[in-house]
Amino acid sequence: MADLAVEATDAAVDPANWTCPAPLRDQPVVVMGHGGGGALSAELIEQVFAPAYGNALLAGMTDSAVLHLGGARLALSTDSYVVRPLFFPGGCLGDLAVNGTVNDLAMSGARPAYLSAAFVLEEGVELTVVERIARAMGAAAETAGVTIATGDTKVVESGHGDGVYVTTAGVGLVPDGVDIRPQRARPGDAVIVSGPIGLHGVAIMSVREGLEFGIEIASDTAPLAGLVADMLAVTRDIHVLRDPTRGGLGASLNEIARASGTGVRLRERAVPVPDEVANACGFLGLDPLYVANEGRLVAFVPRDEAEAVVAAMRAHPQGTGATLIGECVEEHPGMVVVATGLGGTRVVDLPLGEQLPRIC
């Protein structure tokens, strides 16, 4: 048995080196799990940022804040993008930075209008790389119907960055009569996802780790504001929208359940998981519900409006795979459960961190 013994090094047991650490509420340093969109991210926000500058607008903890300014209702959002690698099947850092902020605005029902873009460049990065990213951002903005109106550039010394980081902020107009936020989920709501899940996270993983699954898996990164506009044309009484990025569909549904104090029940066989994603996750021991997406949304709508909303979604290029996957219930408030194909039930908890860091 001696040859099977493994000596634990200091690095192996240092929590700061873990990707998804255990819930270390007394941990004195930032760990990768704090950026994963799960329980550790929530802990960081609740214990550090909210006390520092908390206010009524921030308390909603939505993807974008809805503001009243000069008689208009505006949605405001900001996000930083640190994806590795910079280029991946289906997209790159540039279109990700545009689509991500456009989608955060759309999740409040807003029509995105203007973005800002701030670059942090590492000394030594090739200018052709920066140009490719900038051109991708311009093309993505044109597709999404937004204007990149202002920006900033900073350069850090070699070894103090990771090539290119981008931060985008955006504003958009929220139509009258639209009130979309996680607190509005209520028992009886239908839960709809706009298409197959898990593609972005698996696409990033396949390139980063050099894995081949027999077929190229491309990211689903895409702007969703047009899809949301078509949904609102059916009914303005959409209760909740969320784009399940970091932490995947599982994290987003947990956040909605906890914010609204309701339960969520999914039907496992109804959740659209592509075969290539299912196979990759099975090979790697991952749960597709926690794999990141960049061109999908989950919606909570009144049950009597669900069929019409799904029909409108399927008529839009970004919603052809729209599927009703579950419902909001009174039972198990604040929890998400899945009815399995074998007739059992399992709990889908909020992940601690994320299965793969640096995916957006």
Side-chain angles (χ1 to χ4, degrees), residues 240-333:
V240 187
L241 292 173
R242 184 61 63 92
D243 57 334
T245 54
R246 296 177 304 168
L249 183 62
S252 292
L253 292 176
N254 268 278
E255 291 166 359
I256 295 166
R258 296 182 184 196
S260 61
T262 60
V264 176
R265 182 170 58 224
L266 303 180
R267 293 181 293 279
E268 185 174 54
R269 290 182 174 175
V271 179
V273 179
D275 289 342
E276 57 268 34
V277 171
N279 292 338
C281 289
F283 175 74
L284 297 168
L286 305 178
D287 187 336
L289 288 175
Y290 296 127
V291 177
N293 312 272
E294 287 292 344
R296 298 288 179 257
L297 64 80
V298 60
F300 284 55
V301 302
R303 187 64 184 86
D304 58 359
E305 304 273 15
E307 291 184 8
V309 170
V310 168
M313 294 173 72
R314 290 177 176 172
H316 190 279
Q318 301 305 330
T320 55
T323 306
L324 200 159
I325 60 171
E327 52 275 330
C328 194
V329 297
E330 293 182 357
E331 296 81 15
H332 50 79

Side-chain angles (χ1 to χ4, degrees), residues 60-158:
M61 297 296 176
T62 52
D63 288 335
S64 59
V66 176
L67 318 171
H68 296 265
L69 186 64
R73 293 179 72 212
L74 300 177
L76 172 68
S77 183
T78 187
D79 209 341
S80 295
Y81 298 86
V82 296
V83 65
R84 180 170 58 86
L86 298 175
F87 303 92
F88 46 84
C92 71
L93 173 67
D95 42 43
L96 198 66
V98 170
N99 292 338
T101 294
V102 164
N103 292 347
D104 282 347
L105 294 170
M107 296 308 103
S108 293
R111 295 189 293 266
Y114 298 100
L115 302 184
S116 68
F119 280 73
V120 176
L121 308 176
E122 183 182 13
E123 181 185 27
V125 69
E126 295 180 3
L127 285 176
T128 54
V129 170
V130 181
E131 183 179 14
R132 284 180 64 189
I133 292 170
R135 289 186 178 276
M137 290 182 70
E142 183 176 0
T143 299
V146 297
T147 300
I148 300 177
T150 187
D152 183 45
T153 303
K154 295 292 188 296
V155 178
V156 297
E157 298 89 343
S158 178

Side-chain angles (χ1 to χ4, degrees), residues 207-232:
V207 175
R208 186 186 301 177
E209 307 301 333
L211 301 174
E212 295 184 3
F213 301 110
I215 183 174
E216 182 178 80
I217 301 174
S219 169
D220 59 356
T221 178
L224 298 175
L227 174 61
V228 172
D230 285 0
M231 296 166 67
L232 289 171

